[in-house]
């Protein structure tokens, strides 16, 4: 029986570039920006790092394949560098690689760095890209908003929710994230909005309007991890450790078998259940203090609150409208602005979520710092489409908790 | 007795208001006002001669034993491929047996009727499916743009209880070039109308009609339906009169509701005639084009017993008015519109993949697990049922004719489509199986979860760089 990852690895340094339309920065500039912060935070030398993982997603318009771009950008001393890609959940995959390397004893100190340079396509939204030879011959010509928008149709049908009521709850989610993003100097979108603006915005993919969609950003984020023992030896106190790292990947049941109704993420339910088990959490609504969810679209965040077993099934609308997930609510969700406003440089996003947990748990989150320092935080990093996706759920916490 | 054992028809539901065309173009060509009434049929952006022919064939084969079809002929002057067997693609889409004689017939407005005459000779060997379709492209602001329409007809020929007996044919060939389209030309070049009418139609058609009557011994006064595609006013009546055919037998040329559907039109009109005919009715079909064909049929007692189908009349009744001429220009690539950067992706098709997966891609064939009975699309090595997961247990399971319902959907304004917004979603088939698939022919106000859908063979995308049309199936409102 596997013992799980709980408390085997501590985070000793993190960094995150400013996210946004970084017209004046190349991908390697963004990597260096995140890395310099993390290295200073960890207080180690570059050559103490034994292995590195690079996450990028859309290499067609980016740095290309392999670990070379990271090794080059940082001039890493011929250490192992692995590039990982798992749709929009790539960032957490780099983190998982580094954490597992340390937990296995294969590395003392490992680096996970995610980066994405998206704003070189000439148009808004995610880049058009190949879906594979066979997939492109029969799959729907879907965009990200178009695939996630379908959650709304299926959710309404399942729970008998009125179109306007659901749209209002979705608007609350976006307004909340803009409020949070406004307090975050590294966020891509820092403007406050209101419900009216959301509801009157142009339609992207029904029922998702412009403000139901997250930002498409350039950026990088990174983590340096080691064992708690080495961390202490390095003089670190109040350690932040990894409590759970889970990943569930669709195997085609949602896409091909009629047992899934389209209103939820089958993977998120499974990954979160496993993560709570791994972290030893039995009542997530009481024990999780902070959530960074993969809010690529407002409807994704709403549905995910149920799939993470925080809101009861069909109950997320009420929790959202009650302010349960607001920055001053019971469990703030996207207190840093989330994908919605911090931005979504794909390969970096999973690491950006962990970055916020790390800052909040150390009381270093500035204007947006939660009054009561969180003990357990959950990051949910999703890639793909509701009917076919990879979903990682990680739990980060205070080592002494 | 050999004859037509079943028929089917297809006319795209979009009907372009001719007024919208004339209003846009009369500044340059006031003579267009003569053709400004009513409407013409117009393919959606994802329809062409091949997709229309497949739809007509499906209509024709409803209730028929399609596994008995031995031969497939397809006539058109607007085949999507100059060199790739178009009837072969249709055969894959229709899931016909591999043992099949196939033939594409082209290069004349008589392709439909001349092909049909040849088909009756071949049909002695076994049931023959004859398809005719045209989607003719005319220059913007031309008279042809107004007179032509898009459509298809399908006839099943054989000896098993025909609904219309084939009594004979008569043809004459003469190189009268009223119009032509050279190998490297996009559009037809057309000579003067008065010459075509007076020296062409009026002189070439009557002796052929008379020749057929003489050859078959039929009494012209007994002709109940005179099927003759011709857009010149009153000319059909004059030709009928000259041959002794009653004027009231002259069939409506469907100009008001559809327009002339090229090489398919004689058959399109014939299908409409069969939908009106009574047992015993004589139907004379004539068609003009570098000569003339004439064919004679007699409706039989089996006609009223044929299972219900759309035919041409049903297809024409299913209409959606389109008043936007710009859309017609865009769909037919008659204007250089800005499609946006998202349209710029490489659309190359891996022909080896297409061949390996042709049953799936062209025939919409999925799998059925022989162990647990679960059906799925596409067919895979491992059964999708989580309680089964049997290996290599899948038998072919065709989905094309299974009704479906919308499980989830969206209207997407971000992704590229020639007709935004792009509707797509998950459809669930009656009896199991589902597919995230593009939709077409959607009316926004009728789209919702649970809406009934049917699958239709359509263009997935067009690879303009390589001239390759990619086909797959889409869900359309049932």
């Amino acid at each position: 029986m596997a013992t799980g990852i709980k408390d085997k690895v501590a985070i000793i340094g993190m960094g995150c570039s400013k996210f946004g339309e970084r017209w004046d920065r190349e991908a390697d500039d963004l990597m260096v920006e995140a890395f310099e912060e993390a290295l200073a935070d960890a207080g180690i030398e570059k050559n103490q790092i034994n292995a590195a993982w690079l996450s990028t997603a859309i290499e067609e318009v980016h740095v290309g394949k392999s670990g070379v771009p990271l090794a080059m950008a940082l001039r890493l001393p011929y250490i192992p560098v692995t590039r990982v890609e798992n749709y929009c959940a790539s960032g957490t995959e780099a983190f998982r690689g580094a954490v597992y390397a340390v937990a296995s004893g294969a590395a003392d100190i490992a680096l996970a760095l995610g980066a994405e340079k998206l704003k070189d396509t000439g148009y808004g939204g995610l880049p058009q890209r190949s879906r594979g030879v066979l997939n492109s011959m029969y799959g729907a010509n879907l965009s990200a908003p178009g695939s996630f928008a379908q959650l709304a149709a299926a959710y309404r049908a399942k729970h008998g929710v009125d179109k306007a009521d659901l749209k209002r709850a979705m608007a609350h989610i976006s307004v909340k994230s803009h409020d949070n993003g406004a307090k975050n100097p590294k966020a891509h979108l820092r403007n406050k909005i209101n419900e009216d603006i959301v509801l009157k915005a142009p339609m992207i993919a029904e029922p998702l309007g412009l403000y139901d969609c997250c930002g498409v950003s350039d950026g990088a984020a990174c983590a340096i991890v080691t064992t708690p023992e080495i961390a202490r030896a390095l003089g670190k106190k109040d350690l932040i450790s990894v409590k759970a790292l889970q990943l569930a990947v669709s195997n085609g049941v949602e896409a091909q078998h009629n047992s899934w109704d389209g209103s939820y993420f089958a993977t998120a339910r499974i990954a979160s259940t496993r993560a709570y088990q791994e972290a030893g959490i039995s009542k997530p609504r009481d024990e999780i203090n902070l959530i960074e969810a993969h809010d690529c679209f407002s409807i994704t965040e709403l549905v995910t609150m149920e799939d993470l077993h925080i809101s009861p099934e069909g109950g997320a609308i009420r929790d959202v409208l009650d302010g349960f997930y607001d920055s001053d609510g019971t469990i703030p969700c996207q207190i840093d602005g989330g994908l919605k406003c911090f931005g979504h440089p794909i390969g970096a996003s999973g690491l950006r979520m962990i970055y916020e947990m790390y800052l909040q748990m150390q009381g270093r989150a500035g204007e947006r710092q939660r009054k009561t320092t969180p003990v357990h935080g959950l990051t949910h990093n999703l890639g793909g489409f509701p009917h076919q996706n990879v979903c990682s759920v990680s739990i980060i916490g205070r080592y002494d908790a | 007795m050999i004859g037509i054992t079943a028929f089917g028809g297809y006319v795209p539901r979009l009907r372009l208001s001719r007024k919208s065309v004339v209003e846009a173009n009369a500044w340059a060509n006031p003579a267009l006002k003569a053709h400004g009434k009513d409407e013409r049929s117009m393919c959606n952006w994802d329809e062409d001669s091949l997709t229309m022919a497949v739809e007509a064939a499906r209509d024709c084969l409803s209730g028929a034993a399609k596994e008995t079809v031995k031969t497939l002929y397809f006539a058109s002057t607007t085949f999507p491929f100059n060199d790739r067997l178009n009837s072969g693609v249709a055969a894959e889409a229709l899931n016909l047996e591999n043992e099949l004689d196939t033939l594409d017939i082209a290069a004349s407005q008589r392709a439909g009727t001349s092909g049909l005459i040849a088909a009756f000779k071949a049909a002695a060997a076994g049931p023959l499916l004859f398809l005719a379709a045209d989607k003719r492209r005319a220059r913007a602001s031309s008279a042809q743009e107004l007179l032509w329409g898009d459509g298809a007809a399908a006839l099943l020929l054989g000896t098993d209880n025909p609904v219309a007996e084939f009594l004979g044919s008569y043809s004459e060939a003469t190189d009268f070039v009223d119009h032509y389209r050279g190998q490297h030309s996009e559009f037809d070049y057309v000579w003067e109308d008065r010459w075509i009418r007076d020296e062409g139609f009026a002189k070439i058609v009557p002796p052929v009609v008379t020749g057929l009557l003489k050859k078959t011994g039929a009494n012209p006064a007994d002709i109940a339906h005179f099927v003759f595609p011709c857009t010149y006013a009153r000319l059909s009546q004059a030709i009928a009169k000259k041959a002794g055919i009653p004027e009231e037998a002259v069939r409506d040329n469907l100009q008001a509701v559809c327009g002339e559907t090229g090489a398919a039109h004689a058959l399109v009109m014939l299908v409409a005639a069969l939908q009106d005919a009574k047992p015993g009715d004589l139907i004379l079909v004539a068609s003009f084009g570098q000569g003339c064909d004439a064919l004679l049929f007699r409706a039989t007692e089996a006609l009223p017993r044929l299972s219900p189908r759309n035919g041409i009349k049903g297809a024409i009744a299913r209409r959606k008015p389109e008043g936007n001429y710009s859309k017609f220009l865009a769909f037919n690539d008659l204007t250089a519109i800005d499609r946006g950067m998202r349209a710029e992706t490489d659309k190359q098709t891996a022909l080896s993949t297409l061949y390996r997966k042709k049953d799936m891609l062209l025939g919409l064939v999925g799998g059925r697990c022989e162990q647990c009975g679960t059906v799925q699309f596409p067919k895979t090595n491992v059964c999708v049922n989580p309680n089964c997961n049997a290996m290599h247990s899948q038998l072919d399971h065709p989905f094309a004719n299974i009704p479906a319902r919308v499980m989830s959907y969206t209207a997407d304004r971000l992704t590229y489509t020639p007709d935004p917004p792009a509707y797509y979603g998950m459809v669930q088939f009656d009896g199991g199986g589902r597919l995230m698939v593009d939709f077409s022919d959607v009316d926004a106000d009728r789209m919702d979860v649970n809406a009934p859908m049917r699958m239709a063979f359509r263009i997935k995308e067009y690879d303009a760089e390589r001239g390759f049309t990619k086909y797959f199936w889409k869900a359309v409102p049932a």
Side-chain angles (χ1 to χ4, degrees):
Chain A
M1 181 69 189
T3 54
I5 201 69
K6 186 180 178 184
D7 290 334
K8 289 178 181 168
V9 177
I11 305 170
I12 55 166
M14 289 207 75
C16 185
S17 77
K18 177 166 170 51
F19 284 9
E21 290 167 334
R22 303 291 305 271
W23 305 116
D24 59 342
R25 290 289 187 275
E26 217 24 81
D28 62 340
D29 302 327
L30 299 169
M31 291 181 197
V32 167
E33 189 175 323
F35 181 66
E36 283 185 308
E37 183 187 345
L39 198 65
D41 180 33
I44 60 167
E45 297 295 322
K46 182 173 74 179
N47 59 15
Q48 288 177 268
I49 297 169
N50 305 134
W53 274 259
L54 167 67
S55 52
T56 64
I58 305 183
E59 87 268 7
E60 292 92 332
V61 293
H62 193 27
V63 293
K65 299 177 198 292
S66 91
V68 168
L70 181 64
M72 296 260 298
L74 307 184
R75 302 285 187 211
L76 295 173
Y78 290 96
I79 60 169
V81 184
T82 305
R83 172 180 174 260
V84 293
E85 183 277 321
N86 223 353
Y87 283 154
C88 293
S90 301
T92 310
E93 287 295 81
F95 186 71
R96 206 161 63 99
V99 167
Y100 280 9
V102 165
S104 74
D108 282 340
I109 299 179
L111 169 73
L113 189 146
E116 206 81 29
K117 180 73 194 156
L118 288 170
K119 295 305 299 177
D120 278 328
T121 55
Y123 51 85
L126 288 177
Q128 286 293 115
R129 57 206 180 276
S130 165
R131 299 186 167 92
V133 172
L134 180 59
N135 281 343
S136 66
M137 292 163 94
Y138 78 99
N141 183 26
L142 45 76
S143 69
S147 70
F148 284 86
Q150 294 178 52
L151 282 169
Y155 189 92
R156 278 198 297 110
K158 183 178 188 181
H159 297 293
V161 180
D162 182 70
K163 239 180 197 172
D165 291 344
L166 182 59
K167 185 84 181 161
R168 206 167 310 117
M170 286 156 57
H172 184 101
I173 286 172
S174 299
V175 171
K176 171 262 299 167
S177 291
H178 273 263
D179 280 349
N180 296 349
K183 294 181 189 160
N184 184 349
K186 288 185 175 176
H188 180 174
L189 302 170
R190 303 198 60 200
N191 57 321
K192 289 193 178 207
I193 55 168
N194 58 45
E195 188 183 291
D196 198 46
I197 291 174
V198 179
L199 296 179
K200 286 182 178 157
M203 201 53 85
I204 303 296
E206 283 174 30
L208 303 178
L210 181 64
Y211 286 95
D212 291 300
C213 307
C214 75
V216 171
S217 328
D218 304 327
C222 77
I224 297 169
V225 294
T226 187
T227 64
E229 295 71 29
I230 296 172
R232 276 206 209 86
L234 289 167
K236 300 286 174 188
K237 296 192 178 69
D238 301 325
L239 296 184
I240 308 301
S241 62
V242 180
K243 305 289 183 182
L245 281 180
Q246 287 296 333
L247 180 72
V249 178
S250 293
N251 64 12
V253 166
E254 300 100 301
Q256 287 183 276
H257 191 254
N258 291 11
S259 53
W260 179 67
D261 65 18
S263 72
Y264 64 96
F265 292 90
T267 51
R269 291 182 177 189
I270 293 164
S272 59
T273 301
R274 282 193 206 136
Y276 296 137
Q277 207 168 9
E278 188 173 29
I281 285 172
S282 53
K283 290 180 183 145
R285 196 173 166 107
D286 299 332
E287 296 176 62
I288 295 293
N289 312 122
L290 197 61
I291 296 174
E292 287 294 326
H294 196 91
D295 56 330
C296 48
F297 303 98
S298 55
I299 187 67
T300 318
E301 180 172 331
L302 185 135
V303 167
T304 298
M305 294 307 106
E306 298 176 14
D307 297 334
L308 296 178
H309 310 285
I310 307 289
S311 290
E313 219 182 310
I317 291 183
R318 163 151 299 188
D319 277 343
V320 164
L321 293 175
D322 284 353
F324 185 86
Y325 298 110
D326 290 357
S327 62
D328 58 354
T330 311
I331 309 182
C333 191
Q334 343 295 31
I335 199 166
D336 62 355
L339 300 176
K340 175 75 193 79
C341 293
F342 203 141
H344 186 23
I346 304 175
S349 282
L351 285 156
R352 182 275 301 162
M353 296 172 183
I354 297 167
Y355 176 72
E356 181 66 12
M357 293 295 161
Y358 178 77
L359 294 184
Q360 289 280 350
M361 286 172 189
Q362 296 182 340
R364 291 164 54 194
E367 202 192 333
R368 65 185 187 280
Q369 176 64 45
R370 183 81 170 148
K371 281 197 189 80
T372 319
T373 313
V375 176
H376 282 120
L378 180 149
T379 68
H380 158 266
N381 195 192
L382 182 88
F385 316 98
H387 69 286
Q388 200 150 291
N389 62 78
V390 300
C391 177
S392 69
V393 173
S394 309
I395 297 173
I396 310 298
R398 297 226 299 262
Y399 182 67
D400 54 14
Chain B
M1 172 176 38
I2 197 158
I4 297 165
T5 56
F7 55 80
Y10 184 77
V11 176
R13 70 198 272 274
L14 292 179
R15 306 301 153 76
L16 179 66
S17 138
R18 291 198 180 96
K19 195 173 156 218
S20 70
V21 183
V22 172
E23 276 174 358
N25 294 328
W27 66 272
N29 185 358
L32 292 177
K33 286 176 186 165
H35 309 300
K37 279 197 300 188
D38 305 314
E39 59 193 22
R40 59 155 290 175
S41 61
M42 148 186 176
C43 277
N44 203 339
W45 73 267
D46 58 355
E47 296 184 291
D48 64 9
S49 297
L50 183 50
T51 68
M52 291 192 293
V54 168
E55 281 301 311
R58 294 173 76 198
D59 188 40
C60 177
L61 292 172
S62 59
K66 71 175 181 185
E67 62 280 1
T68 64
V69 172
K70 291 278 175 281
T71 309
L72 176 65
Y73 284 8
F74 181 9
S76 178
T77 66
T78 51
F79 282 124
F81 291 94
N82 288 328
D83 191 348
R84 175 191 179 188
L85 189 65
N86 297 279
S87 50
V89 183
E92 297 287 355
L94 295 167
N95 264 313
L96 299 181
E97 298 293 314
N98 283 345
E99 188 191 343
L100 189 73
D101 290 352
T102 48
L103 189 64
D104 290 351
I105 303 152
S108 163
Q109 289 303 299
R110 275 200 290 146
T113 49
S114 301
L116 189 57
I117 292 167
F120 275 113
K121 291 170 189 159
L128 182 150
L129 180 62
F130 191 88
L131 312 178
D134 248 339
K135 178 197 177 187
R136 301 173 81 190
R137 246 170 111 237
R139 284 186 197 280
S141 190
S142 65
Q144 287 74 32
E145 180 179 51
L146 291 159
L147 293 167
W148 295 349
D150 304 329
L155 301 171
L156 190 58
L157 313 184
T159 52
D160 183 19
N161 216 8
V163 299
E165 183 184 2
F166 177 56
L167 299 175
S169 68
Y170 180 79
S171 300
E172 286 185 5
T174 180
D175 189 32
F176 180 88
V177 190
D178 56 326
H179 75 279
Y180 67 91
R181 177 157 45 92
Q183 190 187 352
H184 302 294
S185 303
E186 267 191 274
F187 299 103
D188 287 9
Y189 190 78
V190 187
W191 210 250
E192 186 185 357
D193 264 326
R194 296 173 60 82
W195 176 72
I196 298 168
R197 185 190 64 191
D198 298 343
E199 202 63 15
F201 277 81
K203 289 191 178 166
I204 292 170
V205 179
V208 173
V209 172
T210 309
L212 175 71
L213 292 167
K214 204 169 147 190
K215 186 176 166 186
T216 56
N219 179 0
D222 293 341
I223 302 295
H225 307 273
F226 179 46
V227 170
F228 178 51
C230 174
T231 56
Y232 296 114
R234 304 288 309 155
L235 186 57
S236 303
Q237 285 78 2
I239 288 172
K241 198 173 168 188
K242 201 168 175 183
I245 296 169
E247 219 183 289
E248 58 271 22
V250 175
R251 294 286 311 181
D252 173 16
N253 64 2
L254 306 175
Q255 191 54 218
V257 290
C258 173
E260 196 164 83
T261 60
H265 205 57
L267 276 52
V268 163
M269 287 175 64
L270 170 60
V271 168
L274 286 166
Q275 291 186 279
D276 288 336
K278 297 182 300 295
D281 279 1
L282 283 178
I283 304 168
L284 194 153
V285 181
S287 143
F288 175 83
Q290 294 89 50
C292 183
D293 289 323
L295 301 86
L296 191 65
F297 298 92
R298 183 191 291 117
T300 72
E301 297 296 332
L303 180 59
R305 294 197 298 269
L306 189 66
S307 62
R309 61 205 53 232
N310 288 333
I312 288 298
K313 295 179 73 172
I316 282 174
R318 195 180 144 272
R319 67 184 268 280
K320 184 182 185 190
E322 178 57 70
N324 189 342
Y325 175 54
S326 288
K327 201 184 235 187
F328 175 83
L329 292 175
F331 284 9
N332 288 282
D333 203 17
L334 293 165
T335 179
I337 66 161
D338 181 5
R339 298 182 190 277
M341 284 172 153
R342 288 184 182 276
E344 290 172 8
T345 51
D346 191 342
K347 297 179 178 65
Q348 190 197 47
T349 296
L351 298 176
S352 40
T353 308
L354 175 60
Y355 179 66
R356 207 159 47 234
K357 296 290 184 184
K358 68 182 165 55
D359 292 351
M360 165 193 166
L361 296 168
L362 299 177
L364 201 67
V365 174
R368 179 170 55 81
C369 177
E370 58 180 342
Q371 290 197 20
C372 74
T374 298
V375 298
Q376 61 171 72
F377 188 92
K379 192 167 133 177
T380 52
N381 288 309
V382 186
C383 172
V384 71
N385 177 1
N387 300 315
C388 174
N389 278 184
M391 303 278 292
H392 312 296
S393 63
Q394 307 265 306
L395 305 171
D396 282 352
H397 186 77
F399 278 95
N401 292 326
I402 303 178
R405 283 185 185 276
V406 173
M407 187 187 100
S408 63
Y409 76 99
T410 189
D412 189 336
R413 292 201 168 269
L414 184 69
T415 198
Y416 170 69
T417 168
D419 185 22
Y423 280 91
Y424 53 84
M426 187 78 89
V427 296
Q428 200 148 282
F429 294 94
D430 291 2
R434 57 168 54 172
L435 179 60
M436 180 68 75
V437 70
D438 293 317
F439 296 176
S440 196
D441 291 356
V442 169
D443 293 323
D445 53 342
R446 288 183 53 214
M447 180 45 56
D448 208 346
V449 171
N450 231 20
M453 307 293 270
R454 65 181 286 272
M455 301 308 289
F457 186 69
R458 292 291 176 101
I459 295 170
K460 175 99 173 89
E461 36 178 27
Y462 178 65
D463 179 357
E465 200 178 329
R466 303 174 185 85
F468 192 81
T469 309
K470 306 165 88 160
Y471 297 96
F472 185 60
W473 293 77
K474 293 183 184 175
V476 299

